[in-house]
């Protein structure tokens, strides 16, 4: 025979922490995010490519929030075999990664290619403020020429770029 239940006792002391449980199932994929900062690549945003020329022997920087793709030397125009090709100074084709006096090849119908001919010419954007007399002197090597060739950079960004010209010595307002 059982007796009448007694009153509840005092609460006991806290026990030790148990072992960790098993990992749960993976969650669902999240929603696609916005493109955000142009430094986060790859990005599916519309991108624009521009070239900037310093007219000095120093490589210019890209505009804010633009990414440098490469730097080089400012090519303006070249002529070969009686054909000429001018470069848009805002486009990447005007910034050659390496300087070469004859920066092109000519390939014939028999898959024979020649690097520059005696009558070929290349025209490069010059640095500003060099001694004109020295610049006109015959230069013997590419190393002699490099201080007179403007440096450039090719940049990529999602912002739309627009050029504004003042047609004077004054820098125009943006």
């Amino acid at each position: 025979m059982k007796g009448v239940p007694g009153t509840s006792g005092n609460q006991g002391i806290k026990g030790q922490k148990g072992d960790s449980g098993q990992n749960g199932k993976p969650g669902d994929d999240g929603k696609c995010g916005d493109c955000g900062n142009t430094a986060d690549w790859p990005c599916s945003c519309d991108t624009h490519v521009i070239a900037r020329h310093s007219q000095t022997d120093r490589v210019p920087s890209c505009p804010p929030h633009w990414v440098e793709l490469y730097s080089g030397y400012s090519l303006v125009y070249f002529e070969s075999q009686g054909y000429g090709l001018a470069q848009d100074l805002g486009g990447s084709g005007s910034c050659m990664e390496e300087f070469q006096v004859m920066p092109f090849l000519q390939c014939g119908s028999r898959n024979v290619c020649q690097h520059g001919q005696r009558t070929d010419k290349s025209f490069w954007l010059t640095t500003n403020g060099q001694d004109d007399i020295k610049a006109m002197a015959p230069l013997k090597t590419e190393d002699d020429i490099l201080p007179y060739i403007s440096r450039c950079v090719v940049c990529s960004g999602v912002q739309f770029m627009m050029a504004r010209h003042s047609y004077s010595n004054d820098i125009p307002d943006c």
Side-chain angles (χ1 to χ4, degrees), residues 35-121:
C35 282
N37 187 348
T38 60
D40 301 330
W41 295 98
C43 181
S44 61
C45 301
D46 285 340
T47 56
H48 305 279
V49 176
I50 62 166
R52 270 186 122 170
H53 304 273
S54 67
Q55 290 192 265
T56 72
D57 59 355
R58 291 184 306 268
V59 176
S61 59
C62 290
H65 310 293
W66 287 68
V67 176
E68 179 178 326
L69 299 178
Y70 64 89
S71 62
Y73 299 88
S74 305
L75 177 66
V76 177
Y77 178 88
F78 61 88
E79 185 177 295
S80 179
Q81 298 290 319
Y83 296 99
L85 183 62
Q87 298 297 317
D88 173 2
L89 289 177
S92 60
S94 66
C95 188
M96 303 294 286
E97 288 186 77
E98 292 184 30
F99 176 77
Q100 295 179 4
V101 177
M102 297 297 163
F104 41 86
L105 290 173
Q106 296 172 345
C107 299
S109 59
R110 295 185 179 163
N111 292 329
V112 175
C113 298
Q114 297 176 342
H115 184 267
Q117 302 291 320
R118 288 183 63 199
T119 59
D120 295 345
K121 301 177 191 110

Side-chain angles (χ1 to χ4, degrees), residues 13-27:
I13 58 171
K14 186 174 182 179
Q16 295 177 353
K17 186 173 182 177
D19 294 333
S20 296
Q22 295 178 351
N23 289 337
K25 295 179 182 177

Side-chain angles (χ1 to χ4, degrees), residues 139-153:
L139 302 170
K140 295 180 175 53
T141 68
E142 286 187 0
D143 290 336
D144 293 337
I145 298 170
L146 283 179
Y148 300 101
I149 305 300
S150 172
R151 297 303 305 270
C152 56
V153 65

